[in-house]
Amino acid sequence: MNLPNLLTSLRFILIPVYIAVFIKGHMIPAFLIMVAAGVTDILDGYIARRNGQVTTLGMMLDPLADKLMLITVIVSLLISGHISLAAAAAMFLRDLGMIAGGMFFHFRGKKTVPANWMGKLTTVLFYAAIMLIFFEAPHAHSYLWAVIAFSFVTSIVYIAMFKSLNKPLTETPAGHS
């Protein structure tokens, strides 16, 4: 257990803390807990890359922690009436698909695609959209839908990268070099 993986584990712990605070109606503290989770995400990735501590476990747990926090926030906003069922469903379909696909291929021994700049940008944009919703900013829902659309584009890019990464090597015919 290195420091980056410890920070990722902290994000899992922040999920029930967020739920408890949100349920009590403390929107600003709940939002700050979500931001703290986002900061640990940035820190764990930076520390892992800087110190050469990138691990297979971390590559799997990091996006899972991100997705579970985001799903938790989506559910809380849906139940409280802050976002529509359609927006929540679109976000769920995308995120659950990414989680299930990543786990399915990981356990089949396929190479997984690590988070890239598009994935990180998508996460930042989702956090910005959620912040706008938490603070009931004008056009927050339109911005959220734009981010949802971008997240599906990001998913398509990940699928293409996965296919390229796991493409079978072509063999050269016998007698040719």
Side-chain angles (χ1 to χ4, degrees):
M1 177 70 61
N2 59 27
L3 181 57
N5 289 346
L6 189 62
L7 288 170
T8 298
S9 299
L10 177 61
R11 283 206 309 286
F12 285 105
I13 294 167
L14 287 174
I15 292 169
V17 174
Y18 167 86
I19 293 169
V21 171
F22 188 90
I23 286 173
K24 291 183 180 184
H26 303 298
M27 295 295 282
I28 303 296
F31 175 75
L32 292 174
I33 291 166
M34 185 190 75
V35 169
V39 169
T40 64
D41 180 29
I42 293 166
L43 281 175
D44 73 28
Y46 172 76
I47 292 168
R49 284 185 295 279
R50 188 190 73 191
N51 296 338
Q53 295 179 320
V54 176
T55 64
T56 303
L57 178 65
M59 285 173 44
M60 192 168 143
L61 290 181
D62 179 68
L64 181 61
D66 295 343
K67 300 283 183 252
L68 288 177
M69 176 56 93
L70 192 57
I71 288 169
T72 300
V73 171
I74 293 165
V75 169
S76 68
L77 293 173
L78 174 65
I79 291 172
S80 65
H82 286 87
I83 62 171
S84 69
L85 179 59
M91 289 186 279
F92 276 136
L93 284 174
R94 190 262 181 179
D95 284 341
L96 292 176
M98 294 292 285
I99 291 170
M103 289 176 65
F104 176 79
F105 291 115
H106 173 78
F107 289 116
R108 292 201 175 264
K110 301 286 185 183
K111 296 176 187 169
T112 55
V113 178
N116 64 20
W117 71 269
M118 282 185 78
K120 293 294 183 183
L121 178 59
T122 301
T123 301
V124 168
L125 294 175
F126 267 124
Y127 275 96
I130 290 166
M131 177 187 70
L132 294 174
I133 290 166
F134 264 87
F135 292 100
E136 299 178 2
H139 310 293
H141 291 91
S142 297
Y143 178 76
L144 175 62
W145 277 107
V147 174
I148 290 169
F150 181 73
S151 75
F152 278 94
V153 170
T154 302
S155 296
I156 292 166
V157 170
Y158 270 100
I159 291 166
M161 290 173 66
F162 173 81
K163 282 184 171 184
S164 175
L165 189 62
N166 288 285
K167 186 177 7 176
L169 297 174
T170 56
E171 296 180 26
T172 49
H176 295 84
S177 34

